[in-house]
Amino acid sequence: MFLVGLTGGIGSGKSTVAAGLAARGAAIVDADAISREIMEPGGRAYGPVLEHFGPSILLDDGRIDRPALAARVFADADALARLNALTHPAIGEVMAERMAEAAEAAPIVVLDIPLLNIATKDRFTFGAIVVVDTPVDVAVTRLVAQRGFSEEDARARVAAQMTREQRRALADVVVDNSGDRAALDAEIDRVWAWLAAGAAGAG
């Protein structure tokens, strides 16, 4: 298995790049989707999170109100650390299971992970790290137009993450997503060819 770590800041277009790589033959393991799955009723982190934060985080149907929980921990470092301690081990377990399944389906497995950092990089044996890079103003514009964020909230979310420079420092290859969709497709083609060559060399 040639394991690729794919990361990018909020509004970078990382999900679009993941979909493009999947269309070209990669198997995708989506850490965001897994993080949602483990918080659903019956999920591995549902009980521990509910026990710690209390029933006020629940919707009427018994599901966790993820936006309300995110808003609650966003400005509280201790609460965020506790939430991460409750969820990250479960996310890691499911990711490992999904990666093993994906390796049977495709020679290149892409781990789509928003919070890839040095610790995460050291935890997995990546053949390559791909970083989707987008100027801050472009990311903010996308978040306002596509997700309904206010500009203030969008800039706060971007500022709370790693800087572009920190993220690029992790990269083996960078996807430039500062242009239009045609330009991005050309970037995905370039990166896919680079990954295919890497996978062939590793094999």
Side-chain angles (χ1 to χ4, degrees), residues 11-13 15-16 138-149 177:
S12 67
S15 295
T16 303
V138 174
V140 168
T141 298
R142 288 175 182 156
L143 290 171
V144 171
Q146 299 172 13
R147 298 203 206 174
F149 285 75
N177 190 17

Side-chain angles (χ1 to χ4, degrees), residues 36-94:
R36 292 190 294 271
E37 177 185 316
I38 64 163
M39 297 274 275
E40 290 293 321
R44 298 186 194 189
Y46 177 86
V49 169
L50 176 58
E51 182 177 353
H52 181 76
F53 288 96
S56 63
I57 64 169
L58 294 181
L59 296 165
D60 290 342
D61 62 3
R63 294 167 60 240
I64 290 174
D65 187 340
R66 288 170 51 85
L69 180 57
R72 180 166 161 182
V73 303
F74 185 66
D76 185 336
D78 289 340
L80 178 58
R82 185 58 186 156
L83 179 62
N84 288 342
L86 293 170
T87 58
H88 285 183
I91 293 171
E93 289 171 5
V94 178

Side-chain angles (χ1 to χ4, degrees), residues 2-203:
F2 190 75
L3 180 63
V4 178
L6 173 67
T7 194
I10 188 170
S12 67
K14 176 177 60 62
S15 295
T16 303
V17 173
L21 293 174
R24 288 159 176 80
I28 308 295
V29 177
D30 186 339
D32 257 353
I34 291 170
S35 72
R36 292 190 294 271
E37 177 185 316
I38 64 163
M39 297 274 275
E40 290 293 321
R44 298 186 194 189
Y46 177 86
V49 169
L50 176 58
E51 182 177 353
H52 181 76
F53 288 96
S56 63
I57 64 169
L58 294 181
L59 296 165
D60 290 342
D61 62 3
R63 294 167 60 240
I64 290 174
D65 187 340
R66 288 170 51 85
L69 180 57
R72 180 166 161 182
V73 303
F74 185 66
D76 185 336
D78 289 340
L80 178 58
R82 185 58 186 156
L83 179 62
N84 288 342
L86 293 170
T87 58
H88 285 183
I91 293 171
E93 289 171 5
V94 178
M95 281 198 303
E97 293 167 5
R98 300 286 164 79
M99 284 159 48
E101 294 167 2
E104 297 180 5
I108 297 176
V109 176
V110 175
L111 180 55
D112 179 348
I113 183 164
L115 300 178
L116 197 154
N117 53 27
I118 293 295
T120 311
K121 187 174 181 179
D122 289 345
R123 185 174 162 193
F124 295 101
T125 305
F126 288 115
I129 302 291
V130 176
V131 169
V132 185
D133 183 59
T134 307
V136 170
D137 286 346
V138 174
V140 168
T141 298
R142 288 175 182 156
L143 290 171
V144 171
Q146 299 172 13
R147 298 203 206 174
F149 285 75
S150 68
E151 181 172 345
E152 181 182 9
D153 190 21
R155 289 193 180 278
R157 296 296 182 100
V158 171
Q161 296 189 331
M162 296 171 68
T163 66
R164 290 176 69 194
E165 292 73 22
Q166 288 171 326
R167 203 175 281 112
R168 287 172 67 103
L170 296 170
D172 295 301
V173 62
V174 174
V175 177
D176 176 6
N177 190 17
S178 59
D180 60 15
R181 182 57 191 266
L184 180 59
D185 281 339
E187 280 287 277
I188 297 171
D189 281 337
R190 176 182 66 84
V191 170
W192 178 249
W194 188 90
L195 292 175

